[in-house]
């Protein structure tokens, strides 16, 4: 299993992702600088969290125009597997690989807290190892995680089972109380139409060891292990 | 030529910052202020004296980077 992690100026979860991939999952892992215009296609490409370009203009906006993004878009078009976490999700929406946008949290605050995610589609490589009925306990750490899309896009996402995760209570109920950032329909993560690109605001890579308070994040990557 | 571009959230998008500013203004006694939309302004210095050409370049800059058409709209004017 080979993983590639793209580093933008201002990425700060790149080494968390590297630790997960290299040390926890024992994958062959390479780091890809944003100025590269090509890379050897990995089995999974990770766009990590952080504050690329200082979140100036819009979160992920300038990273989405980085030299490496031409190759990333091409990789997605050819059916490559990509996970974009937090700022990586913002880069995926800004580059048009995934629909919708992420705007400022409804309460205008930077949120750093535990959340529970209800899995909405168990038949993808990212979600097949999540036991039915289990809510993932993961961490969020973002200021711009409020997912928004127009009603046609939302209908399409629902109809094609492309909502991967929703913020929920520990026992899986949807309620605005458990929707920390005001995301429409409590959406925490979505999939591309071929289900090979996942964008999500919570950080699975921060929940991969008991020491970190949860190992639920590993489940999202275990589907790749043959 | 200097061209000014204005970026605003579309009407259909709730602008959380604008709402916070509106509430602050209303709290200060500006009860006649019924809504606030917070936007961005970019002044572009464009190497062209031809207004149409400069506006065209500004339009492309808005469409390709400055504005996210999913959530925002833009206007272009002379700075």
């Amino acid at each position: 299993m080979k993983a590639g992690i793209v580093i933008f100026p201002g990425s700060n979860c790149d080494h968390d992702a590297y630790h997960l991939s290299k040390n926890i999952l024992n994958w062959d892992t390479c780091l890809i600088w944003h100025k590269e215009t090509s890379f050897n296609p990995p089995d999974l490409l990770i766009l990590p969290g952080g504050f690329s370009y200082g979140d100036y203009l819009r979160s992920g906006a300038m990273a989405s125009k980085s030299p490496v993004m031409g190759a990333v878009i091409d990789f997605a078009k050819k059916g490559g597997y990509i996970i974009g976490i937090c700022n990586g999700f913002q880069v995926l929406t800004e580059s048009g690989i995934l629909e919708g946008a992420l705007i400022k949290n409804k309460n205008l605050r930077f949120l750093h807290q535990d959340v529970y995610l209800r899995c909405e589609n168990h038949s993808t490589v990212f979600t097949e190892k999540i036991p039915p009925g289990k809510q993932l306990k993961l961490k969020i750490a973002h200021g711009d995680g409020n997912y928004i899309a127009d009603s046609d896009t939302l209908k399409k996402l629902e109809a094609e089972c492309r909502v991967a995760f929703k913020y929920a209570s520990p026992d899986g109920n949807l309620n605005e109380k458990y929707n920390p950032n005001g995301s429409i329909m409590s959406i925490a993560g979505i999939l591309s139409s071929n289900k090979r690109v996942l964008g999500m605001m919570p950080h699975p890579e921060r929940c991969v060891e008991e020491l970190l308070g949860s190992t639920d994040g590993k489940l999202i990557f275990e589907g790749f292990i043959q | 030529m200097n061209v000014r571009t204005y970026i605003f959230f579309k009407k259909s998008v709730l602008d959380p910052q604008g709402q916070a500013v509106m509430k602050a203004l209303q709290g200060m006694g500006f009860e006649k202020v019924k809504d606030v939309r917070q936007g961005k302004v970019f002044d572009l210095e464009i190497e062209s004296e031809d207004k149409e050409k400069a506006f065209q370049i500004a339009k492309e800059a808005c469409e390709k980077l400055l504005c996210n058409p999913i959530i925002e709209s833009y206007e272009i004017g002379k700075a």
Side-chain angles (χ1 to χ4, degrees), chain A residues 118-136:
Chain A
R118 191 174 88 179
C119 179
E120 301 293 301
N121 177 353
H122 285 269
S123 9
T124 79
V125 68
F126 299 105
T127 54
E128 65 187 12
K129 298 289 181 190
I130 301 169
K134 178 182 171 60
Q135 272 60 248
L136 297 182

Side-chain angles (χ1 to χ4, degrees), chain A residues 142-226:
Chain A
H142 60 244
D144 297 334
N146 184 351
Y147 182 76
I148 186 168
D150 62 42
S151 57
D152 287 348
T153 304
L154 292 170
K155 273 184 214 151
K156 198 169 94 178
L157 291 176
E158 287 266 285
E160 296 176 2
C161 302
R162 289 168 55 196
V163 176
F165 301 110
K166 288 185 176 177
Y167 300 105
S169 69
D171 51 2
N173 292 317
L174 298 181
N175 184 322
E176 273 308 298
K177 193 178 139 197
Y178 296 101
N179 181 12
N181 52 30
S183 288
I184 197 151
M185 288 165 32
S186 298
I187 289 174
I190 60 165
L191 295 150
S192 59
S193 51
N194 65 4
K195 317 286 197 298
R196 292 182 175 205
V197 180
L198 168 67
M200 61 189 295
M201 287 312 295
H203 286 271
E205 84 287 12
R206 291 191 189 181
C207 297
V208 294
E209 289 175 285
E210 289 297 345
L211 189 63
L212 300 172
S214 169
T215 57
D216 289 355
K218 267 168 79 177
L219 292 167
I220 290 175
F221 300 90
E222 284 175 348
F224 286 93
I225 300 165
Q226 301 305 316

Side-chain angles (χ1 to χ4, degrees), chain A residues 57-58 61-62 64-65 93-94 98-108 146 148-150, chain B residues 7 9 12-21 40 42 63-68 70-72:
Chain A
L57 187 62
R58 295 177 306 276
M62 286 186 283
S64 75
K65 312 294 176 193
T93 57
E94 280 286 343
L98 291 177
E99 294 95 330
L102 293 142
I103 62 169
K104 201 157 281 300
N105 295 341
K106 198 173 178 183
N107 67 3
L108 300 172
N146 184 351
I148 186 168
D150 62 42
Chain B
I7 316 283
F9 275 124
S12 56
V13 177
L14 179 76
D15 166 15
Q17 290 173 105
Q19 292 295 300
V21 174
K40 297 173 193 157
F42 297 92
E63 287 172 357
K64 289 190 177 162
L65 180 66
L66 302 180
C67 171
N68 178 344
I70 295 166
I71 47 172
E72 297 167 323

